[in-house]
Amino acid sequence: MKYIGLTGGIGCGKTTVLEAFEKIGVPCFIADRQAGKYYDDPAFLDEIRSLFGSGVFRSDGSADKQQIARIVFSDKEMLRSLNALVHPRVMAEFRQWADRQQTPYVILESAIIYEYHLEKHLDQVVAVYLDKEERLRRLELRDRVSRQALEARMRNQLSAEEKMDRADYVILNYEGNPRARQVAFVDAKIRDTIK
């Protein structure tokens, strides 16, 4: 079985592309979704408290993820420390999950594959590309977040162009561009490398 990464900058439409892969029967593992579950784990919360202090916890004992996001998106060292807690867990769970699949390949989706060198655990990488202005426009509508806050998040990721240059395959995710046809093409190329 091959491990395929799927990445792209914030707001490029990775979820929509993943849905197209799932539609043709490719199992997909979403790193952020998995990482979100850790905030229900008391042992993980203890590590968060050690890293950020008690100020990021609500009165009911739950972690305030928005407060944590504000901290890490303005402090690269704290972001690195948080990711050092999260990514080893995510990769271990991805491998366990992949072992249970019965397909020629599986996809790990993460916006920060290259930033945290996850590609060394993968056979190939697909990048979803959309230019920065269009991503900002979509994110402002979707998340109701200021352009300034969105640009701060983007600065913590490699540029979309660099991800595209480093990837084995690229899907251009513009409206009107035949997404399903691009996914089918990439799927066929990946399967050819397995034969």
Side-chain angles (χ1 to χ4, degrees):
M1 175 187 291
K2 287 214 171 195
Y3 293 170
I4 306 299
L6 187 136
T7 195
I10 181 174
C12 69
K14 292 182 298 296
T15 302
T16 311
V17 172
L18 272 188
E19 288 167 358
F21 274 104
E22 286 177 326
K23 206 176 270 188
I24 61 171
V26 179
C28 298
F29 183 95
I30 301 170
D32 275 356
R33 188 178 297 161
Q34 191 61 37
K37 295 176 184 176
Y38 301 154
Y39 289 89
D40 297 326
D41 174 3
F44 182 77
L45 291 177
D46 286 343
E47 292 183 75
I48 291 294
R49 186 171 278 107
S50 295
L51 185 60
F52 293 96
S54 297
V56 297
F57 285 85
R58 297 186 186 94
S59 56
D60 65 0
S62 65
D64 184 339
K65 292 185 207 171
Q66 288 183 326
Q67 175 69 7
I68 292 169
R70 276 193 293 277
I71 293 168
V72 299
F73 287 121
S74 62
D75 184 333
K76 287 191 178 197
E77 274 311 307
M78 292 301 277
L79 180 61
R80 276 192 200 94
S81 298
L82 177 62
N83 283 321
L85 289 180
V86 171
H87 289 301
R89 282 181 170 91
V90 168
M91 290 309 295
E93 290 181 26
F94 166 68
R95 284 189 203 94
Q96 291 168 3
W97 169 86
D99 287 346
R100 296 191 300 271
Q101 308 309 310
Q102 301 294 314
T103 52
Y105 73 94
V106 294
I107 291 178
L108 167 73
E109 182 273 324
S110 173
I112 51 177
I113 284 174
Y114 292 119
E115 290 83 344
Y116 288 90
H117 310 293
L118 303 181
E119 74 276 13
K120 66 186 176 190
H121 304 287
L122 304 167
D123 296 294
Q124 295 175 310
V125 177
V126 178
V128 180
Y129 179 81
L130 190 64
D131 70 76
K132 183 179 176 183
E133 277 308 308
E134 180 60 15
R135 289 189 294 136
L136 285 166
R137 188 188 69 76
R138 288 182 184 185
L139 286 165
E140 283 176 307
L141 289 172
R142 185 190 79 185
D143 296 348
R144 305 271 187 246
V145 177
S146 74
R147 181 168 280 241
Q148 196 173 15
L150 293 168
E151 287 181 337
R153 288 185 190 178
M154 286 180 175
R155 281 193 295 275
N156 286 304
Q157 296 181 355
L158 291 177
S159 73
E161 290 74 18
E162 187 169 347
K163 289 180 190 215
M164 183 172 66
D165 288 345
R166 293 176 66 175
D168 299 284
Y169 310 101
V170 176
I171 291 177
L172 302 174
N173 200 21
Y174 292 95
E175 291 304 319
N177 211 14
R179 188 179 302 116
R181 194 161 68 204
Q182 291 181 79
V183 166
F185 175 80
V186 170
D187 174 69
K189 287 289 192 186
I190 292 169
R191 288 174 189 274
D192 281 348
T193 67
I194 297 168
K195 290 175 185 171

